Amino acid sequence: MNSKTRTALTVGVLAVALSVGVGVQASAGTPRSVSGKPSDDITRIADFYGAYIDAMIDEDSGGLGDALRSHYLTAGFQKELNVWEEENHANGVLRAQNVPLAWKVTDNGTTATRTEAVITLTWGQSSTTTLVVDMNRDSHRIFHIGEKGSSGK
């Protein structure tokens, strides 16, 4: 084997070794999992916020944000949200002019007619906003987003 061949072979083996090392390092750690059920209102609220934030980050190409609103929000609440947005010059679902970096949905109680969830939106290292979302248990549609729940608590 001449020196050029040995050098090429060494570079090739080194590249393979490094790529295997990078692959192993990238997959190290405990795998994450997310679960849910379409019959569970908290799952549905989390699904809505996750998909909606993704759509807004992707600059709502194709009108996905509007389609998600139409699917997850009651018709009456969509109208209320449009009025709120006109008055406040902000996104009514997020209650902001920009898009959060992270979100968390926490169950805040259920009655015979509605499920309430607390949404924590994270904007930076230590900046968060908390919203309360109410969903009809029958229709599985959101009918309220605000600083307090629809019951006023």
Side-chain angles (χ1 to χ4, degrees):
M1 214 185 294
N2 67 30
S3 66
K4 285 184 181 180
T5 304
R6 266 185 290 214
T7 302
L9 184 58
T10 302
V11 168
V13 170
L14 182 58
V16 169
L18 287 175
S19 68
V20 168
V22 169
V24 170
Q25 185 178 11
S27 66
T30 305
R32 294 178 48 200
S33 64
V34 176
S35 62
K37 301 185 292 189
S39 62
D40 178 67
D41 289 339
I42 297 300
T43 299
R44 292 179 70 87
I45 293 168
D47 289 346
F48 169 67
Y49 266 87
Y52 190 81
I53 289 169
D54 286 349
M56 295 301 102
I57 286 174
D58 295 341
E59 298 180 19
D60 197 22
S61 56
L64 179 57
D66 289 337
L68 289 165
R69 284 179 180 222
S70 179
H71 181 75
Y72 283 96
L73 308 179
T74 65
F77 184 59
Q78 289 178 62
K79 291 175 185 172
E80 284 180 44
L81 210 52
N82 290 336
V83 169
W84 186 95
E85 290 174 334
E86 285 288 324
E87 292 172 354
N88 293 279
H89 306 287
N91 183 303
V93 171
L94 304 174
R95 296 294 202 248
Q97 293 178 336
N98 53 359
V99 182
L101 301 173
W103 53 270
K104 181 171 100 173
V105 177
T106 306
D107 189 344
N108 200 39
T110 301
T111 69
T113 59
R114 67 177 176 77
T115 297
E116 187 172 279
V118 174
I119 313 300
T120 304
L121 303 174
T122 302
W123 306 98
Q125 293 278 338
S126 60
S127 177
T128 61
T129 301
T130 302
L131 301 173
V132 180
V133 173
D134 291 289
M135 177 176 271
N136 285 324
R137 291 194 64 205
D138 290 341
S139 68
H140 302 290
R141 299 232 175 175
I142 294 170
F143 67 91
H144 171 83
I145 299 171
E147 293 177 11
K148 294 182 177 181
S150 63
S151 66
K153 63 176 180 170

